Amino acid sequence: MDCIFCKIANKEIPSAIVYEDEDVIAFNDLNPEAPVHILVIPKKHIASLNDASEEDQQLLGKIMLTIQKIASEQGIAEDGYRVVTNCGEQGGQTVMHLHFHLLGGREMLWPAG
Ligand code: AMP
Ligand code: ZN
């Protein structure tokens, strides 16, 4: 499948990996919007949140707890951080493989643009 994040998960293209287990991989965003900007993805190809199903329930929960762990390792847990998933065109999704942005290390603005 011609999916850039599947290729990252399969190590076919390089990335700065900060966490990996059998189900989940996390790597630094190529164009960081904050001092800490990490993308956390399932290794399984799921195009977007719209495409997740009942069978992915455990995986989605694992991703959230993985984000919690990474935030702690990155030293941003106490000050706080933001977790974002963009879904579809109006959500601003540009890569069609489900991913969660972990952003931290600076004050976040709200509402998001
Ligand atoms: P989104 O707009 O939510 O789909 O986010 C896609 C994100 O992927 C953007 O923040 C990009 O900077 C990031 N990105 C695209 N290609 C790569 C790559 N090869 N390695 C790391 N991050 C990437
Ligand atoms: Zn993929």
Side-chain angles (χ1 to χ4, degrees):
M1 188 187 303
D2 195 24
C3 168
I4 190 167
F5 286 179
C6 280
K7 286 179 180 164
I8 285 176
N10 294 330
K11 319 279 171 56
E12 289 168 39
I13 63 171
S15 70
I17 296 168
V18 299
Y19 175 88
E20 180 175 13
D21 64 31
E22 64 274 28
D23 302 309
V24 179
I25 189 163
F27 49 93
N28 286 324
D29 195 292
L30 209 52
N31 295 299
E33 300 287 354
V36 175
H37 187 172
I38 292 166
L39 300 174
V40 186
I41 72 169
K43 288 187 171 176
K44 174 186 176 184
H45 181 85
I46 299 171
S48 79
L49 193 56
N50 277 342
D51 301 285
S53 61
E54 204 70 29
E55 71 177 32
D56 301 315
Q57 187 165 324
Q58 206 169 357
L59 177 60
L60 292 173
K62 180 172 179 175
I63 290 170
M64 286 300 133
L65 292 176
T66 301
I67 290 170
Q68 178 199 73
K69 196 184 310 183
I70 295 169
S72 177
E73 283 170 6
Q74 295 286 322
I76 57 172
E78 203 158 310
D79 285 346
Y81 53 89
R82 182 166 292 169
V83 180
V84 174
T85 189
N86 297 324
C87 182
E89 196 181 331
Q90 289 205 344
Q93 185 177 6
T94 59
V95 177
M96 292 306 287
H97 180 129
L98 180 64
H99 53 281
F100 294 85
H101 298 256
L102 168 59
L103 296 146
R106 67 166 170 84
E107 190 94 19
M108 297 295 152
L109 303 174
W110 190 259

